[in-house]
Structure formats: C-alpha cells, structure tokens
Amino acid sequence: MRGYRTILVERVDLGQGTTGRFHGLLHSGGRYVVSDERSATECAEESAIVKRIAAEAVEDTGGLFVTTPADDPGYADRFLAGCLKTGVPVQEIPAAEALRREPRLNPGISRAFEVQDGAVDAWKLLWGNARSAEEHGARILSYHWVTEVIREGDRVLGVMARDNRAQEMVRIEAAFVINAGGVWAGEIADMADCPGVTVVPGKGIMIAMNHRLVRTVVNRCEHPGDGDILVPIRTVCVIGTTDVKADSPDDYSIDRAEVQQMLDAGEVIVPGFRQARALHAWTGARPLFKDERAGEGGEDTRHMSRGLALVDHLRRDGVSGFLTITGGKLTTYRLMAETVVDAMVEQMGDARPCTTADEPLPGSEDGRHYWLGSRLAAQEEAMADDQLVCECELLPRRKLIEAARRRPGMTLDDVRRALRLGMGPCQGGFCTYRATGILHGLGDAETERADELLLTFLQHRWLGLEPILYGDQMRQACLDDWIFQGTLDVEHLPVAVPA
Ligand SMILES: Cc1cc2nc3c(=O)[nH]c(=O)nc-3n(C[C@H](O)[C@H](O)[C@H](O)COP(=O)(O)OP(=O)(O)OC[C@H]3O[C@@H](n4cnc5c(N)ncnc54)[C@H](O)[C@@H]3O)c2cc1C
C-alpha cells in the first residue's frame, strides 16, 4: 500500500505457522488489563480496526468475563479498574442477564462483564491480506524456505530461499528485508548474524467441540490461566489453552494430560462440557520475545509480555536494511506491520504514510461481518447445479476446481487452509477421498501423488484426532477407518505412509 515492490517469502503455506494454530479470539484486551497493560490497550485499539477493515473474517460475537465459583471473587474489581485504566470498553451486567444470554453457562457465576471480543477466521484474514497485497503488486512465494540472509559488510542485501516445489535455490535481492518470522524470528535474525534475538515458544493446546456451546466468547474473570476461554467459531466452539515453554517451535505434539485439563476446564465454564463431542485438538507456539541484550523476561511463558517487539538491527547490531518484528497477537497483526514499515521508511529516509487502518481488505468493503448462516446463504443459489465435496463445511466442487487451477500442485492441507476441507465433524471421512479423486481426475495429481496426498492428509488429521478419541468421535474415527480401508485399502497403497 505504500508503493514498494514487495515479495513475501513463506517456507510452507500461508497459515502453516502460528497464525493457523491459534485460538480464534479477536481480543478486546480484557484478558490483559491486569497482567499486561500495554497489550490490553494495543488489543482494544486494534480489534476495533480489524473489525472494520477485515469485517468478512470476523464474527462480532461480543464477549463476557464471568466470575465462576472456582475464581477469586476479588479479581473482578481489579479487572474493572484495569479496563478503565487501559481503555478497554467494559460494562458490568447482572449475572442473571448473562445466564439468560448464555443458558449453558455455569449457574454459579457471581459477576459478569460485557466486552467487545470477537471470533476471527485466521485463514480468511490471511487470504484477505494476501489478496490485498497482490492487488497492490506484491508477489507471494509460498513453499520458499529462507536459508540465508545475504549480507555485504554491515548491510543486508536480500535472502537465499529454497523453492521446495521446484527443488532449486532462489536468490532474492532487496533494498530492505523484514523478518516477520514469528516464533522462528530468532533463527532468521541469526542468519543475518544478529544473534541474541530470543523468541521463546509458548506452546498451547486447543480443542474444538462440535457445537457452539456458547454464542459469545466466554472468559473466566481471573488472572490469565489455562483453559479459561471458550470461543464460538463458525459451527464449533474452541476451549483453550495452556502455555508452556517448548523446546522447539516445531513441536506440535499433544500431551494427553493437557487434553484432560482442557476438558475439566470446559466443565467449569459450561457444566456438561465433556458430553459434547470433541472434534479435533491442536497446538501452536506463541512468539514470546526476550531480547538477550536487554535481559528481559524469565522462563515462565504465561507471564511474558504479549506486546509486539520491533528489533532495529541498525541501532542494535549496526546492520542496515534489516528489521525484525515479532511478539504480539494475531489481533495486533496490522499494528505490527505498520510499526515495522514505519521503521523501514524512516531508515530509508522516505516518508510514506500508512493507510492500512483505513482501507478495507478485498471482500470486506461492505463492512458486513461473518454470520453463522453466511456460508450456506452464499452456496445455496449455486448448489442447485453443483455437487458438495465436503458436507460439513459446504464446499462445492466448483470451488475446489477453481482453487486447484489457481494454485497448481496444491496439497490437500493447502485446500484445508484455503477452503476448510476436512475440518467438520467427520474430520475428512467423506471429503478426503472425493477431493483426491477430483484432483486426480483434473490431471493435477498423478496416481502416485494422489495416493501421497490422501495419506498425508489423513495422517495430519489423525495427529489431532488420536489424543481425543472418546465417545462419538471414536465412533466416527472407526467409521472413517472402515471407509478408507474398505473402499481404498489405504494401508496397502504403493506409497509410504508419511512420518
Ligand atoms: C495456543 C495459542 C493461542 C493463541 N490465541 C490467540 C488468540 O486467540 N488471539 C490472538 O490474537 N492471538 C492468539 N495467539 C497469538 C497469535 O496466534 C500469534 O501471535 C500470531 O499468529 C503470530 O503471527 P506471526 O505472523 O508473527 O507468526 P506466524 O503466523 O508463525 O508466521 C511466521 C511465518 O514465518 C514462516 N517461516 C519461519 N521460518 C521461515 C523461513 N526460514 N523461511 C520462510 N518462512 C519462514 C513460518 O512458516 C510462519 O508461517 C495464540 C497463539 C497460540 C500459540
């Protein structure tokens, strides 16, 4: 938007990092009003902007902070004072009113506060930003893995990236390089020989339940803790999360004890929570910034700041043409971009103002927010002469074919990120083999690649299914297994099952 020729380099697919593995909450700021005042104010200001510029990706659910019988009743007054101090809009409502709005809530709640939380669809947000960038002339190179930051003396000149599709190295020269590598930002700073940018991976687990047990985002009115937020997203709701220091940002393993912890935590907010069907579990790693040189922070990730962190490598390391932006929240993504590009134009001696807070993303021009029936409403007309590939997510065949034509060589995981394939209650039981057949029929995937696509996708879905197998989802998994063994004999396909 500021008129530079820009290339975005992503090692896998957009949304494969933390942004595709988060809780889905557009923070009002309420969560941080006592523990992290700066983040609270950043979230309050930015969530209002994101609701405006990315309306299509946001469901304006509103939010509640409720004091359950398990919470310290004294926190509520500190919370209210914190909201007033940090500029987070809040209103106390009678507990009975909260229960009227959310009948499944714990009937023992003693206080309730209304805030302006929302639910955000990370993929819609990402694709909206990507389309906007492309409309302004940017190029997006996914499956390009940066392996080297090219330096000449004290100046960064560009990067070397491995094109994992074409299996070749690409040299990208640039007047400026911005490192927005999230939890991997320290690794990328190291490549530029700017050591000590430590980004601690604060790993957290989330579980999607197959109903919207609540319509509003529900937070426990307590110091931020584990499993204290329930977010309604599309047709499901998501309980989360934990926060523990991981050894590696690429550790996506799921600890069964944490699954139990989340289900127990859900019971505190909504009694009977365990009786709902758990669809899928996943983890992600928060980018928690700790500058070794500034000697900030400790080992307790829950108490590390969620504020954004700009690292000016010219001031810090004497290296020009290179900036790092990390930390922050998804809610503050736009502010992070504004902050780092402001620093870039300053270093370049340019004065181009930021307009991202004012220009809506493509698809959000009419300012209408996502609502639960919008996908059905959008598909209903077209469905008369189309077929459904995925019944759970209402994915028509036409959309799959359009996506395959737009992005040749896409994997089924890419389709999931773009079109939500396999994210519903059957977790891919019916849509996966149909989608594979369609891509194969289009000539987009030779037989062997089609087998590999199918197996890789099933394997990835399984990672998030296996730790939560109980009740109805166990029955579903058995049915899916029968479908794939019975119709395709998947265990004996002539390709290796991916690790
Ligand atoms: C459990 C959990 C719950 C959360 N919940 C919320 C929430 O409800 N609301 C909220 O606002 N925030 C939430 N967050 C925080 C939020 O998700 C993150 O702050 C945000 O998504 C980080 O975005 P990012 O663009 O900085 O990083 P990322 O999305 O991780 O993007 C960085 C990208 O860099 C790429 N990359 C890395 N190395 C290379 C390389 N060498 N070459 C090329 N590309 C590379 C990665 O593949 C990745 O896609 C949550 C985080 C976690 C972990």
Side-chain angles (χ1 to χ4, degrees):
M1 282 186 188
R2 298 203 209 191
Y4 295 104
R5 288 172 60 211
T6 309
I7 296 179
L8 173 65
V9 189
E10 162 57 51
R11 67 177 188 173
V12 195
D13 185 25
L14 297 185
Q16 211 273 344
T18 307
T19 298
R21 303 173 165 279
F22 84 131
H23 198 169
L25 171 57
L26 188 69
H27 280 277
S28 60
R31 182 162 178 79
Y32 303 116
V33 291
V34 174
S35 59
D36 190 349
E37 291 176 5
R38 192 187 120 204
S39 294
T41 306
E42 279 176 8
C43 286
E45 291 170 0
E46 281 303 304
S47 60
I49 295 173
V50 174
K51 280 183 189 173
R52 209 169 55 232
I53 61 165
E56 192 202 18
V58 176
E59 183 178 352
D60 202 3
T61 56
L64 288 173
F65 277 74
V66 294
T67 306
T68 74
D71 299 326
D72 165 17
Y75 183 82
D77 287 332
R78 295 204 293 283
F79 169 80
L80 195 52
C83 288
L84 298 177
K85 186 169 172 209
T86 55
V88 172
V90 67
Q91 191 179 353
E92 181 157 14
I93 60 171
E97 170 61 15
L99 287 167
R100 193 189 61 74
R101 293 186 200 172
E102 293 292 350
R104 285 199 171 95
L105 268 187
N106 189 324
I109 61 168
S110 51
R111 292 182 76 176
F113 301 90
E114 204 177 31
V115 292
Q116 297 180 357
D117 286 335
V120 59
D121 181 326
W123 288 292
K124 265 188 186 262
L125 187 66
L126 276 176
W127 291 114
N129 276 280
R131 272 173 54 202
S132 166
E134 282 175 335
E135 284 174 10
H136 287 84
R139 284 184 67 194
I140 296 176
L141 301 180
S142 51
Y143 291 93
H144 280 64
W145 193 306
V146 173
T147 54
E148 186 189 334
V149 175
I150 307 165
R151 255 184 79 167
E152 195 179 80
D154 290 337
R155 194 171 167 71
V156 165
L157 297 181
V159 297
M160 293 296 295
R162 192 175 62 237
D163 177 346
N164 278 336
R165 289 260 160 85
Q167 297 293 329
E168 61 186 28
M169 292 301 295
V170 180
R171 182 184 169 94
I172 302 169
E173 289 173 10
F176 218 97
V177 173
I178 291 176
N179 168 17
V183 72
W184 296 270
E187 286 175 18
I188 296 169
D190 282 348
M191 290 180 202
D193 214 5
C194 298
V197 177
T198 304
V199 186
V200 179
K203 188 175 151 191
I205 182 177
M206 292 136 286
I207 302 178
M209 312 300 285
N210 80 325
H211 289 302
R212 278 166 78 106
L213 294 165
V214 288
R215 283 183 292 232
T216 322
V217 175
V218 178
N219 309 257
R220 277 172 62 182
C221 195
E222 203 18 311
H223 270 290
D226 292 344
D228 52 1
I229 312 181
L230 188 56
V231 185
I233 305 176
R234 294 175 166 261
T235 55
V236 303
C237 65
V238 178
I239 183 82
T241 165
T242 48
D243 194 344
V244 286
K245 181 172 178 286
D247 290 335
S248 154
D250 295 293
D251 172 9
Y252 299 125
S253 60
I254 294 174
D255 183 344
R256 275 175 192 276
E258 286 187 330
V259 169
Q260 292 309 319
Q261 190 189 355
M262 286 304 105
L263 297 176
D264 290 344
E267 288 286 334
V268 177
I269 300 174
V270 170
F273 187 85
R274 279 173 175 281
Q275 267 116 58
R277 173 172 166 181
L279 288 184
H280 199 87
W282 67 97
T283 62
R286 298 171 182 83
L288 302 174
F289 175 69
K290 173 168 122 176
D291 193 337
E292 297 289 346
R293 300 206 175 163
E296 284 177 357
E299 290 298 289
D300 180 357
T301 52
R302 178 66 77 195
H303 296 111
M304 289 179 72
S305 171
R306 268 58 175 158
L308 62 88
L310 171 72
V311 186
D312 183 336
H313 294 288
L314 183 57
R315 289 204 189 111
R316 181 181 181 275
D317 307 289
V319 176
S320 64
F322 186 57
L323 291 164
T324 292
I325 183 86
T326 185
K329 309 282 303 166
L330 187 82
T331 303
T332 56
Y333 85 94
R334 191 213 62 85
L335 179 64
M336 293 172 72
E338 175 175 346
T339 306
V340 72
V341 180
D342 278 351
M344 182 188 84
V345 293
E346 191 194 323
Q347 201 181 115
M348 292 173 85
D350 219 345
R352 304 189 194 184
C354 176
T355 55
T356 51
D358 307 316
E359 280 192 44
L361 300 177
S364 292
E365 294 87 350
D366 61 9
R368 272 216 300 266
H369 291 297
Y370 168 87
W371 54 283
L372 191 52
S374 52
R375 194 149 194 178
L376 179 60
Q379 309 298 8
E380 220 162 18
E381 287 283 292
M383 282 318 301
D385 44 31
D386 202 346
Q387 296 168 339
L388 274 182
V389 178
C390 173
E391 283 94 347
C392 307
E393 293 290 341
L394 298 178
L395 169 62
R397 186 185 181 110
R398 173 184 48 87
K399 284 232 165 187
L400 175 64
I401 293 176
E402 278 169 13
R405 297 264 182 263
R406 226 178 14 251
R407 299 176 68 199
M410 70 196 302
T411 66
L412 290 179
D413 254 332
D414 296 339
V415 180
R416 178 179 68 82
R417 282 184 283 268
L419 301 171
R420 305 185 68 84
L421 180 92
M423 291 187 67
C426 79
Q427 289 290 297
F430 296 92
C431 58
T432 314
Y433 66 83
R434 291 177 188 152
T436 311
I438 291 169
L439 294 182
H440 183 49
L442 288 175
D444 199 58
E446 300 301 324
T447 309
E448 197 168 301
R449 186 168 136 74
D451 288 350
E452 193 190 312
L453 287 180
L454 176 77
L455 285 177
T456 308
F457 190 73
L458 292 178
Q459 194 75 10
H460 285 177
R461 289 281 84 190
W462 181 247
L463 290 179
L465 265 176
E466 192 260 349
I468 46 140
L469 282 183
Y470 67 91
D472 283 338
Q473 200 60 25
M474 169 71 103
R475 295 186 185 90
Q476 178 72 54
C478 291
L479 172 63
D480 292 352
D481 184 56
W482 183 86
I483 291 171
F484 285 102
Q485 301 299 347
T487 58
L488 296 170
D489 194 16
V490 279
E491 281 196 358
H492 300 103
L493 291 176
V495 287
V497 181

